Amino acid sequence: MNLDFGQIVPSLPFILNGILVTLRFTVLSALFGFTLGTLLSLLKISNIKPLRWFAEFYTSIFRGTPLILQLALVYFATPQLIGYKITPIEAGVFTFSLNSAAYSSETIRAGIMAVDKGQREASMSLGVPYRPMMLDIILPQAFKNILPALVNETIALLKDSALVSTIGVLDLMRRAQVVAGQTFLYFEPLLVVGVIYYVMVMGLTQAANVLERRMRRSD
Amino acid sequence: MIRIEHLVKSFGPLEVLKDISTEVDSGEVVAIIGPSGSGKSTLLRCINLLEIPTAGHIFVDGVDITSPKCDILKVRQNVGMVFQHFNLFPHKTVMENLTYAPMKVRGLSKADASKIAMDLLEKVGLSEKADQYPSRLSGGQKQRVAIARALAMEPDVMLFDEPTSALDPEMVKEVLDVMKALVRTGITMAIVTHEMGFAREVANRVLFLDGGYLVEDAPPDVFFSAPKSDRAQQFLEKVL
């Protein structure tokens, strides 16, 4: 086995620039995904049956089909269907947000259900309307409880983001492949981005720990 | 202040309240007692529509709150409630617990809401706890904060749902003392309680419920010394 990292050193800045692409992609997908997931979770606990059905059907579609297929469908079929030439990054964020919403909505629903029903009754007895009750009283407590699960979901998003390399987004993964194609060395660039992914996930885990400690202030 | 007419409440096939009619005058303190499962809490929870009555009418301040046109949120702003398990907002400080609804619902400024809150905390003897989170308080302190939180909305009616049942014995008195002080302010109160001594001392009237029926409705000295129904007699023999 002879490793030659020397040859890929000139390509390092190119690879490192992929960190920003991957990070931005993950952050956007998580933000849109959790927002949409929260809305879906509210539909799932709603008293109105058609809304519940819709949310459950939505979840079953996105959980029941491969993510890479959803990605390909959005990227390649959108121009064909509506004539809009969607960029790879748009297609990626769009698909990942919709997909993540399906998964996180289940987590958030469970988190809301786990908040003591007395909290709802106390809010109601004070005349607090539904929206502020959810936003100020129920959801903050729900999110605190499900933070570890949401961190897991974000980590999954970060790692799965490598899938967007298949539609041509120049993320970390894609850049490793480009460098491999130029230098005919596979192990070195892939190992480098592997380490980068790992470090990013560890950083995310640490940040989540700090956040969790902050949220436990009131315990 | 509160008029209840032929109130019926069912949960599915189970009829919990059966044709209850009574009235509570302004400034009156009514104790609701009875065995567990008799419908006491349900009756109380109908008055601020935490339970929606199946039939009958409830008037609060002359407004029929069972009418579909009635603004439930408005009714609740005017009817404070204290729960057995306090139900303080755990992620908010004591101060924030008290100011949240007045700011959000009544639209008070932070300064005004804080002033009302501070006055109330002083009255319940907890002004030094304003910046603490509820988890740092004892059960009795939590319940006093919960009473102050309900009062911060400046309601005309206060409902108490077994306010001392979840407390350690040595903390019952501090909560009852706060409630006694509240009685002297002349606010209308309905209290579901197992504290017979307290009911006898502060209530103007006692409602005795059994099996969903309002069995007795009498002043406390009459009820406790000479209950008319067998059921109430049996009940009092057991609890006194």
Side-chain angles (χ1 to χ4, degrees), chain A residues 17-31:
Chain A
N17 277 331
I19 295 180
L20 264 184
V21 178
T22 292
L23 263 186
R24 198 182 312 147
F25 178 85
T26 307
V27 168
L28 285 176
S29 303
L31 280 181

Side-chain angles (χ1 to χ4, degrees), chain B residues 105-125:
Chain B
V105 181
R106 293 177 65 200
L108 295 189
S109 70
K110 190 168 183 199
D112 289 347
S114 302
K115 197 180 163 303
I116 295 175
M118 219 49 217
D119 284 351
L120 286 166
L121 283 179
E122 229 150 85
K123 277 182 192 144
V124 300

